[in-house]
Amino acid sequence: MPKAKHVVVTGGGRGIGAATARQFKDQGFRVTLMARSRTEIESLADEIGAYAVRVDVGDPASVEAAFMAAGPVDVLVNNAAMVRSSLVTKTDVRVWEEHLKVNLTGAFLCSLKVLPGMISRESGRIINVSSVCGLKGYAYLAAYCASKHGLIGFTRALAAEVAGKGVTVNAVCPGYVDSTMMAQSIEYIGEKTGKDVEALRDLFTARSPQGRMLSEEEVAETIVFLASNAARGISGQTLAVDAGELVS
């Protein structure tokens, strides 16, 4: 019986990361969940039979220790992310740097740890969870947009470097998703503006051409597809899962 492939999902304790981990487990993968706090991932790890590893994706030493503990990786899903909204003129440089560290440098550091093994085995998948904010500018989200645009650039450059080595690198760009991060963002906007949270939620929902927010499971299905044998010819691409927002 062939050994189960090993997938690492960063930011794996909730939202898109948790939905992705569940689907990989259902597909027979061995799953390692990574997050900044073990409490974020331990309950899900127990639920689905996964391995929980603490990591600060922006800290090289933490990433080194985490991937040493995880062992060889067949599929890496760089999903860990943060978002804070503010006017550019009111964005503190520390907040700007934190976005870049978590959303961009984190993917770089984690990818560095899995690439040698993938290249030596001539097999591997790296899937970066970007955003429609990586394809379009949005007011009040300059730091987030910059980090996610950078992640797409990194995806394309890395894909070019490993072409022909059996490794594919792609980015998934979700639109408005009914996720934990989205709920937190809406609450934050409500606190800053004094606007009703439900009204804000309706506003974001109305921006979707399909008149709905996407489910976390829909995005996870795209991620799992990119890890499949059927997607072996896809690399350096950005797949927008956005209900048609970018073409409306």
Side-chain angles (χ1 to χ4, degrees):
M1 184 175 179
K3 186 178 179 181
K5 289 187 175 181
H6 180 205
V7 58
V8 167
V9 183
T10 68
R14 56 184 180 172
I16 292 170
T20 299
R22 286 192 174 95
Q23 290 192 25
F24 271 116
K25 191 66 177 180
D26 289 344
Q27 292 289 325
F29 281 73
R30 184 164 59 90
V31 179
T32 294
L33 304 172
M34 292 190 181
R36 184 173 291 185
S37 169
R38 282 184 60 89
T39 58
E40 293 180 39
I41 48 179
E42 283 179 338
S43 61
L44 178 60
D46 289 342
E47 175 192 331
I48 68 173
Y51 185 39
V53 178
R54 182 198 171 278
V55 68
D56 178 348
V57 295
D59 178 0
S62 178
V63 172
E64 174 75 25
F67 281 86
M68 283 289 289
V73 177
D74 299 293
V75 179
L76 169 65
V77 181
N78 284 311
N79 174 67
M82 65 162 290
V83 59
R84 297 287 185 274
S85 59
S86 67
L87 289 166
V88 172
T89 53
K90 293 186 177 179
T91 300
D92 187 278
V93 68
R94 289 171 295 183
V95 174
W96 174 272
E97 290 173 345
E98 186 71 8
H99 276 83
L100 296 179
K101 184 176 80 168
V102 175
N103 299 351
L104 181 53
T105 302
F108 165 69
L109 292 174
C110 293
S111 297
L112 284 182
K113 292 300 147 191
V114 303
L115 275 169
M118 289 181 174
I119 291 170
S120 69
R121 295 188 299 273
E122 296 185 339
S123 176
R125 301 281 194 273
I126 295 176
I127 302 153
N128 298 320
V129 182
S130 182
S131 165
V132 290
C133 291
L135 298 168
K136 176 182 174 182
Y138 288 81
Y140 310 108
L141 290 171
Y144 187 70
C145 285
S147 65
K148 291 299 188 178
H149 272 73
L151 185 55
I152 289 174
F154 172 65
T155 298
R156 291 170 173 164
L158 182 55
E161 286 193 18
V162 298
K165 299 182 186 299
V167 180
T168 67
V169 189
N170 292 288
V172 173
C173 298
Y176 295 113
V177 178
D178 191 7
S179 65
T180 304
M181 178 178 282
M182 189 67 192
Q184 290 175 340
S185 296
I186 290 173
E187 288 179 8
Y188 181 80
I189 294 169
E191 290 173 2
K192 291 294 184 181
T193 64
K195 293 182 179 179
D196 180 71
V197 170
E198 285 304 315
L200 286 168
R201 181 181 175 83
D202 291 342
L203 178 64
F204 281 111
T205 301
R207 292 179 180 176
S208 167
Q210 294 184 0
R212 68 183 182 92
M213 288 194 188
L214 296 158
S215 71
E216 297 163 345
E217 288 72 24
E218 287 176 275
V219 181
E221 286 167 3
T222 303
I223 294 169
V224 173
F225 165 72
L226 287 172
S228 71
N229 195 49
R232 64 189 180 278
I234 303 173
S235 193
Q237 301 303 307
T238 56
L239 275 66
V241 186
D242 66 348
E245 179 191 348
L246 294 180
V247 297
S248 62

